Amino acid sequence: MSQTTPGANEPKPAGSRRRRLTPLPLDKQSRRFMWLQIATPFLAILFASLIGSLIMLAIGKDPLNVYARMFSFSFGRADSIATILFRATPLIFAGLASAIAFKINVFNIGVEGQYLMGAMMASIVGFTVKGLPAYIHLPLVIVAAMLGGALWALLPAYLKVKRGVHEVISTIMLNYVAASLLHFFIANVFMDKSQVVGQGGMGSPRMRMPLIEASARMPTLHSFFAHLGVNFPPHVYVNWFLFIGIALAAVLFYVIWRTPFGYEIRAVAQNPTAAEAAGINSKRQIFRTFLISGAIAGLVGLSDLLGFFGYMDIDFPRGRGFDGIAVALLGKNDPFGVILGALLFGFLSRGSEGVLVFSGVPAEVITIIQGVMILSIVVAYEIVTRYIRVQKKKEAIGA
Amino acid sequence: MSVSELLASALRMSVPVLLTALGAIYSERSGIVNIGLEGMMIIGTFFGAVGGYYYGPMVGVILGMLAGMAFALIHAVATVTFKINQIVSGVALNILAAGLARFLCIQIFHMATTSPEVHQFTKWNIPGLDRIEVLKPLVTGISPLLVVALLAVPFTHYVLNRTVFGLRLRSCGENPLAADTLGVNVYLMRYLGTAIGGAFAGLAGSFLAIEHTGMYIEGMTQGKGFIALAAMIFGNWSALGSMWAAFLFGFAESVSFRVVSSKIPYQFIKMIPYLLTLAVLAGVVGRAQAPAQEGEPYERGGA
């Protein structure tokens, strides 16, 4: 019964020297539980697809046909695959921002507002600073975005730690404030007046900030994939932020599981009182993690901003923050799980376009499937966790 | 613009927040935090419009309440029976509600974001007082739902504090173990509390669609479900307190509609209700008293 003591195989807290952890040999039962845990999200996805099937049947579509179309459209063409990767990129950042906060039991619903502020800061640094080489300008813009996101997380983090204000309500209020503030800065402060309106006085200028300097744009991955023999068509914009997101996931994984900082996060999440008793300042840790979550949230919009649009406008994509929460839940707040969740959402988003065009199924059916998927996945995780606990208890009594 | 006009508008604006806050009280007093109230309100706006369009406002209200309640039951199943995190469930329900409303809107009205205009209730005038010119905005054109919302305040106060049901409901939020020991069915009470909360949110939604704008518009709840939660906290989980808080938010919102012509950019005026919510929460939370076991799942027979 090597697995019954919780935290038995966790790394030692602060001060311990770097050491390799030899994984404990899994007995037969633990292996069965592991497979069960891996199977859980797939069962939940299956359940959500069944609900989706019922809706499709209700509007007179053949679900098998629709799903087949979704798969063939999404995986049968190079531009679909590139689009899935492009759509997944911001969701990786949004998912990581939510997940790191969830890790310490903070519900950062404010990723939405934080990424708008991050993208706005990035945009401002992107068009006001001129004449810098790309290897300075681009990192500068990225840092500005992180600062913007962290700044927008500062108030709810402070209110939570100092005043006990629940972050769910405070961050949601700040999401609305951020949207208004962004509108103000675009329309009243930085509006690009130099836009040339279409010939003959037709059309009207876009409600947008000036174009971001070329030195702050993020190159696409086309040439990289061309080396691998894959040629993406020019109308997709998957860019280096995809790899930055994956690298960030790896860094977070290391921080959470292999550093004292991550240990403190996990300790506070499990039992703040016990963590305090062990000398961890849990409020400070919550505050810091909240700000880190905000800084990561600041990066969410950059793939669109620096890799696609090149300017900040009033129609800048919204809702990524909420998708990020879903992605984090899907991935069970594990950084690599988040990547998988983001890819799944990228696939659903691209696939929904396919079924809309080729099968006439409204894209909202896919939104509903996403909602059902989140609910069923958390329910499924909970049931499995409880089942394993009961089984282990039984075993312990039997042994 | 006269004072009574401003007051009348503030009163109208406060109705959705007030109703949802009252619903939140039932839910939270039973021990269930419901972040999904926003979603239940969204569903209420849509089904209120459906009922109002096809069968008249009365059916709209009933449909809206039933839809809100149905959504709340999903929350109850997830959090009471399956004991999943209440915030997570609420967030998921909000996402689900937005998608479902949009989908159904396309299916039923063949438009993505709005419904056609719906039938409204006949407005009431207070006889006698409506002759006084100064009071006219306050005493004429009153929506019956406004009256219902105001009556729901003493009703909720009475139910929670003076009935056996209210005592049992509160005991489940304060000390479910003790309640269980004394024979109260904690699960049932929490189901009921959540369902009543959903019905109130649905009613609030149908008020928005039927009486406020006369149609369903996507995203018309604008975070009022969350503001209602803040109002409830501000009101210290009591019906009367929530009413005053809801009036405050209603006032802020009606002011924000009326100062458009001033020199302040309107984006900042739009922020007023949200900043007010933040300020209020920052100021009161220290002294507010939440139900002791709120947010904690209850496991019969011990975990």
Side-chain angles (χ1 to χ4, degrees), chain A residues 55 59 107 159 163-164 168-170 172 174 176-177 180-181 183-184 329 362 364-365 368 378 382-383 386, chain B residues 35 82 84-85 87-88 96 100 102-103 106-107 222-223 226 265-268 271 274 278 281-283 285:
Chain A
I55 297 171
I59 57 171
F107 292 87
L159 288 178
R163 308 281 318 172
V168 168
I169 297 178
S170 62
I172 284 171
L174 282 174
Y176 288 101
V177 177
S180 285
L181 203 61
H183 190 177
F184 169 76
L329 292 174
E364 283 68 31
V365 174
I368 296 173
V378 282
E382 183 63 32
I383 293 174
R386 241 190 303 160
Chain B
I35 295 291
F82 290 114
I84 73 168
N85 187 300
I87 308 276
V88 168
L96 190 59
L100 193 64
R102 198 181 165 104
F103 170 73
I106 295 170
Q107 292 303 312
Q222 291 201 312
F226 301 113
Y266 83 102
Q267 295 97 335
F268 285 97
M271 293 177 197
Y274 307 112
L278 266 179
L281 281 174
V285 162

Side-chain angles (χ1 to χ4, degrees), chain A residues 268-282:
Chain A
V268 172
Q270 243 179 16
N271 190 337
T273 327
E276 286 280 352
I280 297 170
N281 186 341
S282 57

